[in-house]
Amino acid sequence: MKNIQSRVLLVAVLVTLSLGIFLAWSNFFSKPQQVIPEIRLGDGINGPKGMAWIPGGEFLMGSDHQKAQANEKPTHKVKVSGFWMDTTHVTNDQFAKFVKETNYKTTAEQVPDWETIRVQLPPGTPKPPASVFVPGAMVFVGTKAKVNLNDYSQWWAYVPGANWRHPNGPKSNIDGKGNHPVVQVSYEDALAYAKWAGKRLPTEAEWEFAARGGLNQATYVWGDQLEQEGKLPANIWDVKKQAFPVVSPKAGGAIGTSSVGTFPQNGYGLFDMTGNAWQWVADWYRSDYFAMQAKEYGNAVANNPKGPLSSYDPDDYGVPANAPKRVIRGGSFLCNEDYCQSYRPSARRGADPYSPMSHLGFRLAKDSQ
């Protein structure tokens, strides 16, 4: 009797162990596995200097997370080929070299063109007097006290004399900020720099794949928790220290860009893929583009998508839905938990390609050779 009981017990144990091993094995192979990428940096001989190799591959683009906005949904399968990407934003020093060699004059340094402005305004808007058309750009000016966050015009203003050398207006400068992201550059300025540098703007799909750094659908480029060891791992607005968009002296004054490379790199060796300054990418912006992709491809994979053929954004109040816009990615030093959570890799917006801003820069990509 005892022998029979022992055998039954032994069989039960073996069955339990076998079942456990099978479930573990099944679970391992049924879930997407997290691949730890290898950082490969160009040195000027094996790859372009200052760039990191992005190996390409298939990933879920967009997000269905509770924090995701409608324009980030739904997730859909995308595949991108390998390419090189700048490890940092293009800096003030780098842009200065370009300007010195080409005598290039940025959009903000030129008299605004009515035809490029008109398409961003409601139909029938009368042309302002010539005195209004002066070189300048949009600047974050903040507020002196807490305000309703429904109207961003309270903390943004067109400032004559603002440009990449004077990001916040003629009295500001970039002295000692050569290693900060260049800002106040339009989409057209980014294209001009890219042509000079022998590079190009990344597509939106390439940008998101690179930003994720090998992390599968993580909420942030560094993982799923906003803070790491009690600190924000990116240059974003800390609402615990200062209410947005208050910049009064009592609140600590205005914040801005930080030197590139201040915060940890992601899995591909890229710095500041979110936070610090928004980044232009190549695609036209449609708020419904991800939904269009999901409908067109279903469970199939979109291969190296280049974006829509035109713009569409019905959610920008006072701007025609079909006004030209290019995608910007990554968020900036202004993004925060109370207003703009665009320091997530799936977050996306559209911007007027001829409108430079004090929190908007770029980085470039290059095809493999």
Side-chain angles (χ1 to χ4, degrees):
M1 186 67 179
K2 287 183 179 181
N3 289 337
I4 295 175
Q5 289 177 336
S6 298
R7 289 177 182 177
V8 170
L9 181 60
L10 179 61
V11 170
V13 170
L14 290 174
V15 169
T16 301
L17 287 174
S18 299
L19 180 60
I21 292 171
F22 171 79
L23 290 175
W25 179 88
S26 176
N27 188 55
F28 179 85
F29 285 99
S30 64
K31 289 185 177 180
Q33 295 305 300
Q34 198 67 64
V35 178
I36 300 176
E38 176 184 357
I39 294 178
R40 177 184 164 192
L41 303 178
D43 58 8
I45 300 175
N46 298 306
K49 191 173 183 179
M51 305 188 84
W53 175 247
I54 312 301
E58 183 181 319
F59 75 113
L60 277 180
M61 189 171 182
S63 175
D64 294 316
H65 192 274
Q66 61 183 5
K67 290 181 178 289
Q69 301 296 309
N71 66 349
E72 303 170 42
K73 302 176 181 178
T75 55
H76 52 289
K77 294 179 181 179
V78 170
K79 183 177 181 180
V80 296
S81 301
F83 62 100
W84 293 92
M85 177 173 265
D86 289 341
T87 57
T88 71
H89 291 71
V90 171
T91 65
N92 286 318
D93 279 348
Q94 291 170 327
F95 199 79
K97 182 179 179 182
F98 157 65
V99 170
K100 183 178 180 180
E101 293 187 9
T102 62
N103 293 314
Y104 182 81
K105 184 178 286 189
T106 62
T107 301
E109 296 171 283
Q110 303 176 48
V111 175
D113 174 56
W114 169 242
E115 291 305 311
T116 62
I117 296 173
R118 181 181 60 80
V119 296
Q120 300 289 337
L121 302 173
T125 300
K127 183 178 179 179
S131 60
V132 173
F133 293 87
V134 294
M138 295 299 294
V139 172
F140 170 74
V141 294
T143 61
K144 294 182 179 179
K146 290 184 178 181
V147 295
N148 188 301
L149 299 180
N150 291 330
D151 180 11
Y152 60 80
S153 67
Q154 298 173 99
W155 55 87
W156 283 98
Y158 185 84
V159 178
N163 56 53
W164 74 274
R165 292 187 179 91
H166 309 283
N168 296 313
K171 293 184 179 180
S172 67
N173 58 63
I174 54 173
D175 294 348
K177 296 183 178 180
N179 204 34
H180 283 230
V182 64
V183 293
Q184 295 295 18
V185 285
S186 69
Y187 178 85
E188 298 301 315
D189 297 333
L191 289 183
Y193 180 94
K195 183 178 180 180
W196 169 80
K199 301 178 183 180
R200 61 176 175 81
L201 285 170
T203 65
E204 186 174 16
E206 288 175 333
W207 188 95
E208 184 172 326
F209 181 88
R212 291 189 177 280
L215 297 180
N216 180 34
Q217 280 291 297
T219 307
Y220 309 102
V221 300
W222 50 83
D224 288 317
Q225 300 301 317
L226 177 60
E227 295 186 354
Q228 289 191 329
E229 298 181 356
K231 296 181 180 180
L232 294 173
N235 181 15
I236 57 180
W237 190 294
D238 190 346
V239 292
K240 293 180 181 178
K241 297 179 179 179
Q242 181 174 329
F244 178 83
V246 179
V247 295
S248 67
K250 185 177 180 181
I255 56 177
T257 58
S258 58
S259 295
V260 298
T262 298
F263 296 89
Q265 61 192 355
N266 76 355
Y268 294 130
L270 305 174
F271 295 93
D272 299 322
M273 284 304 285
T274 56
N276 216 8
W278 284 93
Q279 302 166 52
W280 290 110
V281 297
D283 304 28
W284 289 108
Y285 173 77
R286 283 191 67 104
S287 60
D288 60 353
Y289 181 59
F290 284 13
M292 291 172 61
Q293 289 288 88
K295 182 178 180 180
E296 179 178 354
Y297 289 95
N299 199 43
V301 180
N303 191 33
N304 289 312
K306 305 298 183 184
L309 299 177
S310 60
S311 303
Y312 177 69
D313 185 6
D315 303 317
D316 194 354
Y317 179 76
V319 178
N322 63 346
K325 288 185 176 182
R326 294 287 182 173
V327 176
I328 59 174
R329 285 294 203 123
S332 76
F333 60 86
L334 296 179
C335 287
N336 60 85
E337 285 292 282
D338 290 345
Y339 179 69
C340 163
Q341 298 182 27
S342 294
Y343 35 78
R344 294 173 296 103
S346 58
R348 55 196 299 266
R349 287 190 181 181
D352 175 1
Y354 290 97
S355 183
M357 304 183 80
S358 58
H359 69 338
L360 176 54
F362 67 103
R363 77 175 72 212
L364 298 176
K366 189 177 180 68
D367 293 330
S368 61
Q369 294 182 2

